[in-house]
Amino acid sequence: MMSKLKFGFYWAASCGGCEIAVLDMDEDLLEVLDVADVVFWPVAMDIKYKDVEAMEDGYMDVVFFNGAVRNSEQEHLAKLLRKKAKYMVAFGSCAYTGGIPGLANVSNREEIFDVVYLKSPSTVNPKKIVPRTEVEVPEGELTLPVFYDVVKPLDRVVDVDYYLPGCPPPSSLVLDAVRVIASGQLPAKGSVLAPELSVCDECPRKKENKQITEIKRIVDHTPDPDKCLLEQGFICMGPATRGGCGARCINANMPCTGCGGPCPGAIEQGSAMISALSTILGLAAEKEEGFDFEELLTQLKDPVGTFYKYSLAGSIINRKVKR
Amino acid sequence: MSYEPKIVGFLCNWCSYAGADLAGVSRFQYPPNLRVIRVMCSGRVHPAHILEAFRNGADGVLVAGCHPPNDCHYISGNLKAKRRVAMLKKLMIQMGMDERRLRLEWVSAAEGEKFARVVTEFTNQLKEMGPASMKAMAVAEDD
Ligand code: SF4
Ligand code: SF4
Ligand code: FES
């Protein structure tokens, strides 16, 4: 038998769900451990950064890196792990396109610190203490990582070999990825390790006539469980989102919010959804008397949060304009 | 030197491009700030094209097509363009961009004069607004 592979797992700006996705493989994890030893995984084993520094370059076969890059420590680790790994996999939406943390790019460091440390209703901070990257104490100098102005996807700071989409990636995709890696039949660099289809392709719902004259929100209505959600007026990101999840949310009667990332071949996800939605939003009604397009438009509450929920930091306009 | 805005214009082949052509042969004067991209229909313009134009330094983007409701040669391309532009404008506001930098106009093949007026107005408006800071923003390089 060929010698075992060496895997590393790391988390940066993420919620921890990607780590759970690995554990979610249940007994399939045994198959992973048959082909690979995990040599670095801070969430599950006691290992220090200096142990990673001591590794030879390329020592690990694959590092699965989840989370976006939000501070200097994460960037440092991304660069270090890149050196120590033969293949770097951006694991999950945050590493791939910024994910939910990337939505912070509608703001910036100053505004965020202001709210979190000074203004939020639950903050009590009479001395107005805000974290600094360096401070002198009698024992010497203490340092903290630099909090960046923006959130960046992993490939903004290091070269990435493969992308594993999802928030978190479905366990089946993780297992498929491990199998492909173990087989040595690796796809072209830069590939997304997920099927070449959209969520709509995987969706079992009845699709009939996509023309809507109302945008509904899931907080106000309960959808019919059999009909296409978009046709019912709920913004479902299915047409602009890569499948591979088996339409998980739709099967729970919730619209897809887009965690699978852009469809194969798409430049970016959000504008693809704007484009798709434009083809069904009251087009037929436009030629009727009394149709009020402006009113329809006001029903769209949060374009960034709706169309770019997981991909803002990896999109064409990836942060708020600085004046 | 005075500031000259760069405008990218997506003009539909059947109406607005012909309108621009008419402006030319009729020798209507308008500022040279517009870079024209001819598309078959305003419905061909993907929102990503518009965002890319801004990211690459356009100060303004003009989308022009046939008059609604019935002039579009592909039935409803102009109505799709209207929706894309409207949603993009909302997006631009959220992203701190001035949505006036994106402009949608209906120009028929007979409206050479209107075309010249639109370009003149838009150019003047963008001059007043000053350069877009889009480029610096989009790269997200600064820490
Ligand atoms: S829009 Fe949503 S509900 Fe409709 S077919 Fe696509 S994935 Fe299914
Ligand atoms: S349905 Fe959409 S949001 Fe839900 S898991 Fe699939 S890709 Fe993600
Ligand atoms: S052909 Fe002119 S807008 Fe469609």
Side-chain angles (χ1 to χ4, degrees), chain A residues 4-316:
Chain A
K4 274 176 136 186
L5 297 165
K6 293 186 188 65
F7 283 180
F9 293 93
Y10 191 65
W11 55 0
S14 62
C15 68
C18 281
E19 309 281 347
I20 306 302
V22 176
L23 298 175
D24 242 1
M25 285 196 276
D26 302 334
E27 60 272 20
D28 288 336
L29 201 53
L30 299 173
E31 184 184 330
V32 178
L33 297 175
D34 272 345
V35 298
D37 286 325
V38 180
V39 298
F40 177 65
W41 196 8
V43 81
M45 53 196 273
D46 185 19
I47 184 162
K48 302 287 183 258
Y49 292 167
K50 66 171 169 29
D51 302 321
V52 183
E53 280 154 16
M55 293 174 185
E56 269 168 52
D57 287 0
Y59 173 77
M60 288 179 278
D61 293 283
V62 187
V63 165
F64 297 90
F65 190 107
N66 73 73
V69 176
R70 153 51 93 201
N71 67 35
S72 56
E73 182 193 22
Q74 291 156 352
E75 177 160 1
H76 172 74
L77 256 287
K79 288 182 169 154
L80 181 63
L81 291 168
R82 171 69 274 190
K83 264 210 334 231
K84 306 298 179 190
K86 293 192 186 75
Y87 296 102
M88 188 75 153
V89 176
F91 188 102
S93 306
C94 302
Y96 179 19
T97 50
I100 301 281
L103 284 175
N105 287 6
V106 298
S107 185
N108 56 39
R109 174 176 45 213
E110 201 186 317
E111 284 174 12
I112 292 170
F113 274 32
D114 208 40
V115 170
V116 172
Y117 295 107
L118 303 171
K119 299 221 175 100
S120 94
S122 59
T123 301
V124 180
N125 183 3
K127 288 190 187 154
K128 301 202 187 309
I129 294 168
V130 171
R132 275 187 286 156
T133 50
E134 289 148 23
V135 64
E136 286 294 336
V137 293
E139 293 79 8
E141 189 187 62
L142 295 177
T143 59
L144 277 178
V146 179
F147 185 97
Y148 292 158
D149 211 26
V150 290
V151 173
K152 306 172 196 187
L154 184 60
D155 61 9
R156 271 271 160 68
V157 297
V158 295
D159 200 31
V160 168
D161 296 291
Y162 301 109
Y163 301 88
L164 204 48
C167 180
S171 304
S172 58
L173 288 189
V174 181
L175 190 62
D176 286 351
V178 169
R179 284 183 180 149
V180 140
I181 290 162
S183 74
Q185 312 280 307
L186 285 158
K189 188 178 160 151
S191 296
V192 177
L193 305 177
E196 299 280 304
L197 41 71
S198 72
V199 174
C200 287
D201 290 329
E202 293 188 312
C203 172
R205 292 186 180 233
K206 254 203 264 65
K207 300 143 203 170
E208 282 161 339
N209 176 25
K210 286 198 179 22
Q211 271 299 322
I212 57 172
T213 48
E214 187 189 356
I215 295 174
K216 291 190 192 133
R217 295 203 300 170
I218 200 79
V219 289
D220 304 322
H221 302 269
T222 305
D224 175 332
D226 300 316
K227 273 178 64 182
C228 165
L229 289 151
L230 207 44
E231 290 175 17
Q232 296 179 56
F234 299 98
I235 297 185
C236 178
M237 287 286 289
T241 302
R242 185 189 283 260
C245 64
R248 279 193 291 195
C249 300
I250 287 120
N251 290 327
N253 210 15
M254 287 291 284
C256 170
T257 53
C259 82
C263 279
I267 307 171
E268 60 153 42
Q269 191 176 11
S271 57
M273 188 62 202
I274 292 179
S275 190
L277 189 60
S278 295
T279 65
I280 66 161
L281 197 59
L283 273 195
E286 177 96 20
K287 298 180 186 185
E288 283 163 20
E289 197 85 16
F291 171 73
D292 186 350
F293 177 64
E294 293 307 318
E295 157 58 26
L296 182 54
L297 203 61
T298 61
Q299 296 170 5
L300 175 64
K301 298 297 177 202
D302 173 15
V304 170
T306 307
F307 303 131
Y308 292 89
K309 188 165 192 170
Y310 304 90
S311 66
L312 184 64
S315 292
I316 297 172

Side-chain angles (χ1 to χ4, degrees), chain A residues 281 286 300 302 318 323, chain B residues 82-83 90 94 96 138 142:
Chain A
L281 197 59
E286 177 96 20
L300 175 64
D302 173 15
N318 54 23
R323 303 220 176 241
Chain B
K82 174 174 157 184
R83 283 153 179 75
K90 287 189 88 156
Q94 269 186 303
D142 65 322

